[in-house]
Amino acid sequence: MDLRGYQHYREEALSTMTPGELLLLLYDELVKRLTQAELALDKQDYSLFNASVDRAVDIIHYLDDTLDRSYSISSELTRLYEFFCYELSRVKIGRNKTELERIKRMSSELRESFRSAEKSTSER
């Protein structure tokens, strides 16, 4: 399989996405990693669990780093992202599935909020 063609396609697809679409892609990846962490925890695959939680935290940090601070909602999102990271550090240490499920649910709800906002702005 020619990976260069796939890589070119992927780069092209990313370069043509709107900022809202890119944001949703990040949230999709965040929820995916949290789901992966849940499954790994169930299987007691702690190395995969740790890697999945670490990747989720990296995504959250990126989301926070790329916020446009000129909007007042940014400070609220920063606090929410800090909360997510704090809770995920606790989840990782305690291997707490209940808290992991809660953070995943909250991340999914936030993703849906952004999806709705993206949909309403694209319809205009």
Side-chain angles (χ1 to χ4, degrees):
M1 181 175 171
D2 185 14
L3 292 179
R4 289 178 301 206
Y6 171 74
Q7 183 67 25
H8 177 71
Y9 167 77
R10 186 173 158 189
E11 289 171 6
E12 187 69 27
L14 286 174
S15 68
T16 60
M17 293 177 102
T18 67
E21 290 170 331
L22 289 170
L23 179 66
L24 292 176
L25 189 65
L26 281 168
Y27 273 101
D28 287 342
E29 187 65 20
L30 174 60
V31 172
K32 174 182 145 187
R33 294 301 174 144
L34 294 173
T35 301
Q36 190 176 45
E38 276 183 318
L39 295 172
L41 190 57
D42 288 341
K43 294 179 182 177
Q44 297 181 350
D45 183 347
Y46 299 122
S47 62
L48 178 59
F49 169 75
N50 290 333
S52 299
V53 171
D54 288 342
R55 185 66 181 125
V57 169
D58 289 343
I59 293 167
I60 294 166
H61 282 254
Y62 181 80
L63 288 167
D64 187 47
D65 290 344
T66 58
L67 281 174
D68 184 346
R69 307 287 176 189
S70 65
Y71 295 101
S72 60
I73 188 87
S74 296
S75 62
E76 300 299 321
L77 284 170
T78 290
R79 287 198 297 233
L80 184 61
Y81 293 152
E82 288 171 354
F83 170 76
F84 284 171
C85 289
Y86 174 76
E87 290 299 312
L88 286 173
S89 69
R90 293 180 60 222
V91 162
K92 188 175 170 185
I93 291 168
R95 296 180 179 151
N96 186 333
K97 186 172 180 179
T98 303
E99 281 302 305
L100 178 59
E101 290 169 346
R102 185 170 74 111
I103 297 301
K104 179 183 160 193
R105 186 180 66 250
M106 292 171 71
S107 299
S108 296
E109 290 170 0
L110 190 55
R111 187 233 182 258
E112 284 306 308
S113 297
F114 281 116
R115 187 188 68 74
S116 295
E118 170 69 13
K119 188 175 180 183
S120 68
T121 58
S122 68
E123 290 175 353
R124 292 181 186 170

